[in-house]
Amino acid sequence: MKPPRIVIVGGGPAGMVLAYQLVTNGVPVRVLERHPDFEREFRGELLQAPVVEALERAGLFAALLERGQALPDIERVMYVGKRRTVRVPGPREKGAVVSQPGMLALLHEQCLRHPHYRLDFGATVLDAVQEEGRVVALRTRRDGVEERVDGDLFIVCNGRNSHLRKSCGLETEQFETTADALWLRFDLSDAPETLPTSLQVHMFGKGRVVVFQPSTRHRLHVAYSEPGDLNRLRKDLPELRRRLLPTVPEALQPHVARKLDEETEWQVLRILVDRVTRWHAPGVLFLGDAAHTMSPSGGQGLNLAIKDTFVAANHLLDALREDRPLDAAVFQRIQDERQPEVDRVQAGQTRAGQMVLKPLGVLHLMFTLLGAVMALAGKKMQGAAEPAIEPRYFIA
Ligand SMILES: Cc1cc2nc3c(=O)[nH]c(=O)nc-3n(C[C@H](O)[C@H](O)[C@H](O)COP(=O)(O)OP(=O)(O)OC[C@H]3O[C@@H](n4cnc5c(N)ncnc54)[C@H](O)[C@@H]3O)c2cc1C
């Protein structure tokens, strides 16, 4: 059977990891990415162990390390307050910080080795064109020129709150969120020894949560979250300094104090938790944040998006190898396999959003008691075990 022409909307982690799996297994793919390159705004960088292992097996992680685009063995730890006396009990999760532009560029380079791969930068998908109830093309704009891109299957990976959901007739469920996040980036190449060696989450009560994440090229990412207008806070530098600096761990504090000014790179992330009830319509499948927008809580969005593509590639490529059509039955199997983890993580994120609203004293007491009970019971708190995903087509 002639392989289908697959069009992927969005060259983010979901789009590019999926493109890599399809292209290296002989399927023609065209990616449409609205940005002119992979240099992106702030995005999640902490890859969890199962995703890192897949990158290792495909030889990609070694290449990222060699290029200085990854920091291995980074653990996520959570504390109540600034002093590290109360650590939130839980499983120790070790992963790697990976620069998203670095990872996307590497996947693109690998795909470019294949003649049946094409990526159009600067191509914004405007909407879906339907004929007889099936998506048959996309309307795009590039350099001010509108174009129609035809294909046999469209896979939408264009991120949070995708506008294509509506034009494909999909319904969205939205969950309550309590606070947005202000992301700041500092260049600490003049004091690299002060960078934390883990991703540290500090909860200060009443919704204030501050994250300190080491990044590649000696950068420090700080995410400051609390209820209220964070755009206004960013513009009021004295007030931002008054609120943020006391939360910064001691070793970092003088450096952050020195570097926090009008020039500091920043972005306010509106925190959303939502999902489409059905991930597909005739001719189109949604994956990653486009199917289920995640909150940054727990650092899961990036990992879930990539795991979606492992499952999608397994089912799509199995179907193609067995000469089965890429239809609703295949798409539904992909959704059914991914839905339990997405539901569980989103429910956890919604609960965490409520929990951090409690006053600091209550959080302190809660986690001190929980830690003591668990130590007495000699148990580690385990997250619900998800069945391991074997990315069968993620190969070198
Ligand atoms: C500031 C911030 C911090 C985060 N921190 C974490 C974290 O620590 N850990 C974690 O796991 N997750 C984190 N996340 C979430 C994580 O980055 C996302 O869940 C993940 O990137 C989702 O991948 P994706 O490929 O589905 O979507 P995206 O990464 O959003 O990629 C979508 C791509 O589609 C492109 N696109 C959008 N619209 C169009 C269009 N109309 N036409 C063509 N192209 C289009 C975009 O330019 C982008 O390249 C964070 C997100 C943000 C914004």
Side-chain angles (χ1 to χ4, degrees):
M1 190 162 76
K2 198 168 160 255
R5 294 162 305 159
I6 295 190
V7 179
I8 295 177
V9 183
M16 291 309 296
V17 177
L18 181 67
Y20 174 81
Q21 293 169 91
L22 297 174
V23 168
T24 53
N25 284 284
V27 178
V29 169
R30 179 170 177 187
V31 180
L32 304 169
E33 166 56 48
R34 75 171 168 198
H35 274 289
D37 52 38
F38 292 123
E39 290 301 327
R40 298 143 55 79
E41 320 84 64
F42 290 82
R43 282 288 190 273
E45 293 196 326
L46 187 67
L47 291 181
Q48 291 164 348
V51 176
V52 177
E53 281 159 23
L55 288 170
E56 274 169 348
R57 281 197 302 273
L60 298 174
F61 193 64
L64 288 169
L65 284 174
E66 210 169 280
R67 295 175 180 196
Q69 302 283 9
L71 305 175
D73 296 330
I74 301 289
E75 194 181 359
R76 188 166 63 89
V77 282
M78 295 176 70
Y79 300 101
V80 179
K82 178 178 148 188
R83 289 166 55 231
R84 320 257 167 103
T85 46
V86 181
R87 183 175 162 164
V88 176
R92 296 178 85 93
E93 296 168 32
K94 259 200 177 167
V97 162
V98 171
S99 144
Q100 276 207 23
M103 179 177 78
L104 300 175
L106 177 64
L107 293 165
H108 178 54
E109 280 168 40
Q110 299 293 318
C111 288
L112 278 173
R113 296 177 173 183
H114 301 266
H116 49 269
Y117 167 73
R118 167 174 175 182
L119 183 146
D120 297 342
F121 281 119
T124 300
V125 175
L126 303 174
D127 55 31
V129 180
Q130 305 206 22
E131 283 171 14
E132 293 167 13
R134 183 185 169 85
V135 176
V136 292
L138 298 171
R139 217 163 49 79
T140 66
R141 187 167 39 231
R142 195 175 171 198
D143 297 329
V145 179
E146 285 199 14
E147 199 195 330
R148 175 182 156 130
V149 174
D150 289 278
D152 299 310
L153 170 62
F154 300 87
I155 306 188
V156 178
C157 302
N158 71 333
R160 54 203 340 255
N161 203 16
S162 167
H163 69 293
L164 291 172
R165 294 168 172 180
K166 210 168 176 186
S167 78
C168 294
L170 301 186
E171 275 174 28
T172 302
E173 263 180 285
Q174 184 137 356
F175 301 91
E176 199 192 333
T177 51
T178 49
D180 294 336
L182 168 63
W183 290 75
L184 300 161
R185 184 159 38 202
F186 299 93
D187 180 353
L188 290 192
S189 42
D190 55 350
E193 68 290 349
T194 59
L195 277 168
T197 51
S198 54
L199 185 151
Q200 301 173 358
V201 183
H202 293 255
M203 296 185 278
F204 293 91
K206 300 202 171 155
R208 188 183 297 179
V209 180
V210 191
V211 178
F212 301 92
Q213 185 222 293
S215 185
T216 52
R217 297 185 293 134
H218 306 307
R219 301 292 199 272
L220 171 74
H221 286 197
V222 176
Y224 180 89
S225 179
E226 73 176 352
D229 184 346
L230 295 181
N231 273 300
R232 209 161 73 196
L233 178 64
R234 173 63 188 101
K235 286 171 196 149
D236 183 350
L237 193 57
E239 183 58 19
L240 175 59
R241 293 176 69 87
R242 195 184 68 75
R243 292 201 213 172
L244 174 66
L245 292 178
T247 71
V248 181
E250 254 155 54
L252 283 170
Q253 204 172 43
H255 303 284
V256 173
R258 191 162 43 89
K259 291 176 187 238
L260 178 57
D261 58 22
E262 275 84 7
E263 305 299 310
T264 306
E265 289 178 81
W266 65 283
Q267 183 191 333
V268 170
L269 174 70
R270 195 162 92 70
I271 294 185
L272 290 174
V273 180
D274 69 24
R275 59 182 176 235
V276 287
T277 47
R278 193 160 39 82
W279 293 21
H280 55 94
V284 66
L285 171 67
F286 283 64
L287 298 175
D289 271 13
H292 45 75
T293 306
M294 311 299 293
S295 131
S297 160
Q300 302 274 355
L302 174 60
N303 295 281
L304 261 67
I306 293 177
K307 287 195 218 163
D308 284 358
T309 75
F310 290 163
V311 170
N314 283 350
H315 285 283
L316 295 172
L317 288 161
D318 279 354
L320 288 174
R321 297 210 162 165
E322 291 159 16
D323 261 354
R324 285 187 280 118
L326 300 182
D327 59 10
V330 176
F331 303 156
Q332 190 59 43
R333 275 198 284 278
I334 295 166
Q335 178 175 353
D336 288 345
E337 199 172 324
R338 294 299 299 135
Q339 191 84 56
E341 186 177 6
V342 170
D343 289 358
R344 182 182 64 74
V345 173
Q346 289 192 326
Q349 293 186 326
T350 309
R351 275 198 309 275
Q354 294 298 328
M355 185 195 66
V356 298
L357 289 175
K358 297 191 189 310
L360 182 60
V362 174
L363 292 177
H364 219 275
L365 188 66
M366 228 167 80
F367 287 111
T368 306
L369 286 175
L370 184 60
V373 168
M374 283 167 53
L376 269 179
K379 273 191 199 159
K380 271 191 168 177
M381 194 166 76
Q382 295 297 337
E386 298 298 338
I389 299 167
E390 172 65 32
R392 285 182 283 109
Y393 295 100
F394 194 83
I395 49 166

